[in-house]
Amino acid sequence: MTKTITSVLVANRGEIACRVFTTCKAMGLGTVAVYSDPDADAPHVRMADSAVALRGSTSAQTYLRPEKIIAAARAAGADAIHPGYGFLSENADFARAVVAAGLVWIGPPADAITAMGSKVNAKELMAKAGVPVLTDIDPDAVTESDLPLLIKASAGGGGRGMRVVRELAELGDAVAAARREAESAFGDPTVFCEPYIERGHHIEVQVMADEHGVVWAVGERECSIQRRHQKVIEEAPAPLVERIGPNMRERLYDAARQAVSSIGYRGAGTVEFLADAGSGASGSNDADAGKFFFLETNTRLQVEHPVTELTTGIDLVAWQIRVAEGEALPVEEPVASGHSIEVRLYAEDPANDWQPQSGTVTAFDLPADAHFESLARPGIRVDAGIAAGSEISTFYDPMLAKVISWAPTRDRAAAMLARTLADAKIHGLVTNRDMLVRTLRDETFLSGDTDTAYLDTVGLDVLAAPLASAGDVEAAAVAAALAQSAANRSAARVAGSLPSGWRNIASGYQQKTYTTAAGDEVVARYRIGRAGIELPDLDDAVVCSVAAEEVVMATAGVTRRYAVTAAENGAVNVDWPGASVAFTRVPRYIDPAAQTRPGSLLAPMPGSVIRVAAAEGDTVTAGQPLLWLEAMKMEHTISAPSDGVVSVVAVEAGRQVSVGDVLAVITDL
């Protein structure tokens, strides 16, 4: 049945909304955005032809409200709805409501979503279809012999509602926490358990199917590098499959086609598998090498779809729209070439238990050869839903952008991507950028041996270490101090031509003090004299030029240019090729009102208090959980930093807190 689409509403936000709008505009289609109150000035809103406010801040008030989305489509004159990913993208009732409203649903049939929507039900269907699966375990029937196991949300993915349990005593709390996260993220608290494979490989196959019976397996991806069961780096083709050989690829493709054919699928989707590498050697006789088990079918476009687009040259969103209009897929499947790697750039601190960050992105300069589109030659594609000035709130996922490379070889794709990230200017928030660069340059990663235990195996102490060395940080602090001095002189109303700190007689060194994002204090000392600028703490360093926004220094004959960006709030960013440092200027005089009471437990992030497990007068031990915060749809445990007595509990369940708010006060025993 042929349908004509003229205008598409994207029932989503951020980079995926921008991604769909890019293809719609290229196809000559109108575009409609929807937005919550925090997203009123977001890039996806500005990119669309028109936009409709959903009114509210949380997902539950806005992007998870089918009636608001459909009303917005009618108001804006859209005749089709694309769900993106997350939110309502795998909600069968929403798909039915869209069709019932006379709109085109750019997604799979509602019955297919229902069949795959419950992971428990999906695995039963796949087992009947002959697809290998892992057995499910009822959370209420778990025994010691079942450990370790993985708790999963039945209705969604993205790491929400997932917990690894290795001890039976942890099960009750883990199930309860997983249910709360699942309810918050997907509106469904149902969870189940399955055996946990410690060092598996996460392999998935992109599929595309039409209503005429053609099913494509459009290449496989490896997404094994994950934190909190959420993907961080994805690539195509999968290194494991490349190593095992063509037989594994053929079996994966056959299983994926069989999985979607058995439920009458239509549109884009992904069949995910957990694979066992065995010895991992090509041609190995290891019985476990290349074995895989069905995990789930995502009845939507995946976050990592760009790596498939860059290796096959097809536009998956365009085919979603064309299939929704009734067009038939060519019988011949697309052929992949080269290698593509995608990293998810998050506002989070990997070195500090992956704490999500919120605030304003003050600079976002990430050079790219394409945005949301294919590459004509080896290069970098950036899919970003933020820009300089964007506010990263606590209401949504903290992903800033997806940065994707394509090159003829995997090593070249990794090198190009690492260099682009290392040179990027990203100011205002702590991000996982340095960790991504170190991962892309890590020997284990480059070998292709990237199973789900990769981050633990290599260690965050290695991967999350800053790109800038201690010496680099000292030089950057001096550059910041000199640039700020130059800015002060250029703004001076009296004797502005005199150098900073000028004296008739030589005096002591001027100094400025900064703290790094890790809390380390750095003192920059310098003196401007007749012979130039003296730097007592930097051996062999010569200052070549100083301006308010750039300082050029040569060390041992090697010249480096430091770009310095200072903000009114005391934040100072210093960038140079290959690294950057974010400082906060320490004021010369401390405001006594800003001091906190000794023993104060401060909120490490903005969020909502969902549970308090301590009362005033309680005796607590170091590491004991005291309360839980919800931020970015994830639960975060706040524990006692030391043994002591709870003298103050300053919050209660339901309270919204900001970074630095006092949660409780612990006094010594």
Side-chain angles (χ1 to χ4, degrees):
M1 179 179 175
T2 302
K3 313 175 190 73
T4 300
I5 295 173
T6 62
S7 179
V8 177
L9 179 146
V10 178
N12 220 293
R13 63 181 299 277
E15 56 84 21
I16 185 56
C18 295
R19 165 70 190 91
V20 177
F21 290 154
T22 299
T23 289
C24 287
K25 291 187 175 185
M27 296 177 72
L29 305 178
T31 55
V32 180
V34 290
Y35 62 93
S36 64
D37 294 346
D39 283 341
D41 194 39
H44 82 276
V45 176
R46 298 196 299 270
M47 187 176 182
D49 298 332
S50 58
V52 181
L54 299 179
R55 300 303 176 201
S57 297
T58 67
S59 301
Q61 295 168 338
T62 55
Y63 300 109
L64 287 173
R65 294 287 294 276
E67 73 283 2
K68 286 189 175 183
I69 302 291
I70 292 172
R74 285 174 168 157
D79 48 31
I81 291 180
H82 190 298
Y85 50 69
F87 296 133
L88 294 169
S89 63
E90 296 179 282
N91 186 306
D93 290 338
F94 178 52
R96 292 188 182 96
V98 169
V99 174
L103 304 169
V104 177
W105 169 250
I106 305 176
D111 288 347
I113 297 175
T114 298
M116 293 292 107
S118 164
K119 293 183 176 66
V120 176
N121 183 57
K123 289 171 77 171
E124 291 176 355
L125 290 174
M126 292 303 99
K128 291 179 181 177
V131 178
V133 300
L134 288 169
T135 57
D136 285 343
I137 305 169
D138 186 332
D140 296 326
V142 172
T143 65
E144 195 76 39
S145 62
D146 296 320
L147 302 177
L149 55 78
L150 180 65
I151 303 169
K152 299 177 72 172
S154 180
R160 271 74 172 194
M162 281 194 181
R163 295 288 190 281
V164 176
V165 176
R166 292 186 171 86
E167 295 183 15
L168 210 54
E170 301 171 353
L171 182 65
D173 287 344
V175 168
R179 283 173 174 157
R180 287 194 298 269
E181 271 188 8
E183 173 71 28
S184 175
F186 315 114
D188 183 349
T190 306
V191 298
F192 67 98
C193 302
E194 66 184 17
Y196 181 58
I197 297 178
E198 296 276 5
R199 301 184 62 89
H201 287 252
H202 190 120
I203 310 293
E204 58 189 34
V205 179
Q206 175 71 55
V207 294
M208 180 70 71
D210 64 22
E211 62 186 43
H212 308 284
V214 179
V215 179
W216 281 353
V218 199
E220 88 283 346
R221 302 183 284 255
E222 181 152 355
C223 314
S224 299
I225 298 181
Q226 303 178 11
R227 59 99 171 97
R228 291 178 173 169
H229 312 291
Q230 195 166 28
K231 301 163 189 173
V232 178
I233 298 180
E234 304 101 346
E235 53 185 313
L240 175 66
V241 178
E242 291 282 275
R243 192 161 64 247
I244 297 296
N247 176 262
M248 182 179 183
R249 179 171 287 122
E250 291 170 8
R251 290 185 290 112
L252 279 166
Y253 286 10
D254 286 344
R257 294 189 199 98
Q258 190 174 357
V260 296
S261 296
S262 68
I263 57 172
Y265 201 81
R266 184 183 72 243
T270 301
V271 186
E272 299 192 356
F273 300 95
L274 187 63
D276 192 332
S279 68
S282 179
S284 168
N285 292 320
D286 189 330
D288 290 328
K291 279 188 175 181
F292 55 84
F293 305 92
F294 173 83
L295 285 178
E296 60 185 301
T297 296
N298 294 122
T299 54
R300 54 171 168 81
L301 203 63
Q302 290 279 83
V303 177
E304 57 272 21
H305 76 274
V307 297
T308 297
E309 292 186 322
L310 294 185
T311 50
T312 61
I314 67 170
D315 185 329
L316 289 169
V317 174
W319 272 114
Q320 281 186 296
I321 295 170
R322 293 166 70 176
V323 165
E325 289 182 315
E327 187 173 338
L329 294 168
V331 174
E332 189 172 335
E333 292 177 337
V335 177
S337 66
H339 202 95
S340 181
I341 304 174
E342 171 182 297
V343 297
R344 301 190 191 188
L345 183 64
Y346 281 100
E348 66 182 10
D349 186 356
N352 194 15
D353 196 29
W354 305 97
Q355 280 190 2
Q357 308 290 301
S358 63
T360 303
V361 179
T362 56
F364 190 75
D365 183 5
L366 218 163
D369 301 291
H371 294 273
F372 306 106
E373 298 173 311
S374 292
L375 293 167
R377 55 185 174 78
I380 300 295
R381 163 176 160 175
V382 174
D383 287 12
I386 60 100
S390 291
E391 188 74 19
I392 308 303
S393 77
T394 61
F395 296 111
Y396 311 113
D397 187 272
M399 187 170 74
L400 302 179
K402 302 181 309 196
V403 190
I404 315 104
S405 64
W406 180 85
T409 66
R410 185 174 184 268
D411 284 352
R412 181 57 51 204
M416 292 165 54
L417 187 52
R419 176 61 195 261
T420 297
L421 289 166
D423 289 351
K425 283 187 178 181
I426 308 167
H427 300 169
L429 296 168
V430 174
T431 74
N432 66 338
R433 183 262 302 271
D434 287 13
M435 188 216 76
L436 295 174
V437 174
R438 287 198 177 276
T439 299
L440 292 165
R441 292 172 174 169
D442 172 62
E443 289 184 7
T444 302
F445 173 83
L446 293 173
S447 74
D449 188 15
T450 53
D451 57 34
T452 53
Y454 170 82
L455 293 178
D456 291 332
T457 301
V458 179
L460 279 182
D461 57 329
V462 174
L463 296 175
L467 293 175
S469 68
D472 290 335
V473 173
E474 287 186 19
V478 169
L482 293 173
Q484 289 192 282
S485 292
N488 291 340
R489 298 315 302 154
S490 65
R493 296 184 180 182
V494 178
S497 61
L498 291 179
S500 174
W502 181 84
R503 297 286 188 279
N504 280 327
I505 301 174
S507 182
Y509 293 106
Q510 292 179 266
Q511 68 179 45
K512 292 181 174 65
T513 304
Y514 301 91
T515 56
T516 66
D520 298 323
E521 192 171 274
V522 185
V523 178
R525 298 195 300 161
Y526 60 95
R527 181 165 57 201
I528 302 175
R530 290 184 177 87
I533 300 175
E534 299 176 42
L535 304 177
D537 302 317
L538 296 182
D539 295 335
D540 299 325
V542 177
V543 178
C544 304
S545 65
V546 176
E549 295 181 351
E550 183 183 75
V551 173
V552 181
M553 290 191 293
T555 303
V558 178
T559 302
R560 180 178 282 170
R561 295 179 180 274
Y562 297 87
V564 181
T565 307
E568 292 183 0
N569 64 359
V572 185
N573 287 87
V574 183
D575 299 274
W576 64 95
S580 64
V581 179
F583 293 114
T584 299
R585 175 80 184 275
V586 176
R588 192 167 289 180
Y589 304 104
I590 304 297
D591 181 359
Q595 300 300 297
T596 57
R597 180 176 170 182
S600 294
L601 191 59
L602 307 181
M605 69 196 80
S608 176
V609 179
I610 57 175
R611 182 182 168 201
V612 178
E616 293 182 5
D618 286 356
T619 299
V620 296
T621 57
Q624 179 179 333
L626 301 182
L627 54 89
W628 287 260
L629 292 180
E630 182 184 64
M632 277 81 169
K633 297 299 177 187
M634 301 287 280
E635 280 192 15
H636 305 273
T637 304
I638 309 299
S639 302
S642 60
D643 295 350
V645 176
V646 180
S647 57
V648 175
V649 175
V651 296
E652 67 284 335
R655 171 81 67 88
Q656 289 290 135
V657 296
S658 300
V659 174
D661 283 356
V662 176
L663 304 174
V665 178
I666 311 297
T667 57
D668 294 336
L669 290 169

